[in-house]
Amino acid sequence: MFSPEGPTLRELAVQALSSVEHGYDLLAPKFDRTPFRTPESLLQSVAKALAPLGPFEDGLDLCCGTGAGAEVLTAVCRRSVTGVDFSAGMLDAARRRFAGAGRTGSGGPGVAWVRGDARALPFTAAFDVVVSFGAFGHFLPRELPGLFAQVRSVLRPGGCFAFPVLAPPRPTRPAYWMLLGFDAVMRVRNAVWRPPFVMYYRTFRLSDVLRELVRAGFTVDLRALPEFGRRRDGSPRVRLVVAGVQPVAGRANS
């Protein structure tokens, strides 16, 4: 699962026994060499799906980590892209990667990195689009209403909040039992060890998410990402949730 340049088993164990913030500070230098980074194919698919909804002026990558979502935003935003994360280590890694790729000051949108908690965002209504990739497992279900309210508060009228959701594996697939086992181990770990490390794969259920987005005042659209195909029952393997502050034009097949 990990390249030779990735974290060792000992490093992962130390991270898992830390807080979420400190754990990611430790993992940050090697994060992009782990399977935890969002695949490039998914980033490109989301950028392609967002393009017809733009162009946008200003975008926010929520829980940006090393900046994978910020890369998507540089393709669809004209003026500025901001990444926010509460891990200083991940933000440092994002700055280095963008500077190394020549993205900073290259004639595209300006890029900034801000340390902050997604549950108390340090912005007003400053963005036209907010994206997030792979971060929702760090929030307990009871935190979703507050999280979505925060996102809505930083969006301008007509803005949208977009994030991909993968169809959960079925019980007949090994991945189902692997994720079930991971969540069980994390629950035991958090019951006996402090500080807690919140990371669950099976708590972010689409039906709950859609309900809480509507309660937060969003109009929600589901868009299939065709690059990933469909399951045997015809449902998409991957959907893009597009939650608008006002109705999103042009509903696509879901």
Side-chain angles (χ1 to χ4, degrees), residues 235-251:
S235 61
R237 295 184 185 279
V238 185
R239 290 182 171 101
L240 183 67
V241 177
V242 181
V245 176
Q246 62 185 29
V248 179
R251 284 189 60 86

Side-chain angles (χ1 to χ4, degrees), residues 140-159:
L140 297 172
R142 66 174 179 269
E143 296 179 296
L144 292 184
L147 175 66
F148 293 159
Q150 283 291 298
V151 174
R152 192 179 189 284
S153 74
V154 304
L155 280 167
R156 298 182 180 122

Side-chain angles (χ1 to χ4, degrees), residues 42-129:
L42 182 57
L43 297 172
Q44 293 176 0
S45 181
V46 171
K48 182 179 178 181
L50 282 177
L53 302 178
F56 306 101
E57 294 298 317
D58 305 292
L60 176 68
D61 182 7
L62 185 73
C63 306
C64 64
T66 60
E71 290 186 350
V72 171
L73 292 176
T74 59
V76 298
C77 293
R78 296 187 290 198
R79 184 165 55 196
S80 75
V81 171
T82 301
V84 63
D85 201 283
F86 73 168
S87 166
M90 297 294 269
L91 292 171
D92 286 343
R95 290 188 189 97
R96 289 194 300 270
R97 188 158 65 83
F98 266 63
R103 290 183 179 273
T104 304
S106 60
V111 180
W113 308 100
V114 176
R115 189 177 182 187
D117 191 329
R119 294 162 293 195
L121 290 170
F123 311 106
T124 55
F127 303 102
D128 305 297
V129 58

